[in-house]
Amino acid sequence: MKISFLFIGGPEIFVILLIVIMFFGADKLPEIARGLGKGMRQVRDATNDIKREINESASKHGLDNNIVEDINKEVNDVKDNIDKLTGPIKRNR
């Protein structure tokens, strides 16, 4: 199993963890982890709030907020049309 986070592999994460333990000490590690967890939770909540505001604003102004679904539908329709067109060609091989 390969662990990767922001283009950093497992060995690099291990080295960074060792440096953090040497610099701050093992007794501070849980406090640092709690702080990082709290910060990540705040970032996630902020991005969810931004997404919610964008969706509410789009629906309030009558804009379509399901653009991705529409694009996927169009792409699938084009793929189906190409398959229908190339189907006889593929069968004749």
Side-chain angles (χ1 to χ4, degrees):
M1 178 171 68
K2 185 175 181 181
I3 299 173
S4 180
F5 180 71
L6 294 177
F7 307 111
I8 299 175
E12 290 89 1
I13 292 173
F14 182 71
V15 169
I16 292 170
L17 184 60
L18 284 177
I19 292 171
V20 167
I21 289 173
M22 288 189 319
F23 187 71
F24 292 107
D27 56 334
K28 296 283 185 183
L29 201 56
E31 184 180 330
I32 293 170
R34 275 192 296 274
L36 286 173
K38 184 178 180 181
M40 290 173 63
R41 184 174 47 246
Q42 288 174 343
V43 168
R44 187 183 65 227
D45 291 344
T47 56
N48 287 338
D49 287 343
I50 291 170
K51 288 178 188 177
R52 185 177 40 79
E53 288 291 328
I54 290 172
N55 286 333
E56 286 176 0
S57 176
S59 64
K60 183 189 288 185
H61 293 359
L63 298 174
D64 187 16
N65 56 356
N66 296 322
I67 294 173
V68 174
E69 291 176 10
D70 292 341
I71 291 173
N72 284 335
K73 182 182 175 293
E74 291 296 324
V75 168
N76 288 333
D77 288 345
V78 169
K79 283 184 359 184
D80 290 342
N81 289 336
I82 290 174
D83 287 341
K84 287 178 186 175
L85 184 66
T86 60
I89 297 171
K90 290 179 184 177
R91 281 184 239 135
N92 288 335
R93 285 188 187 184

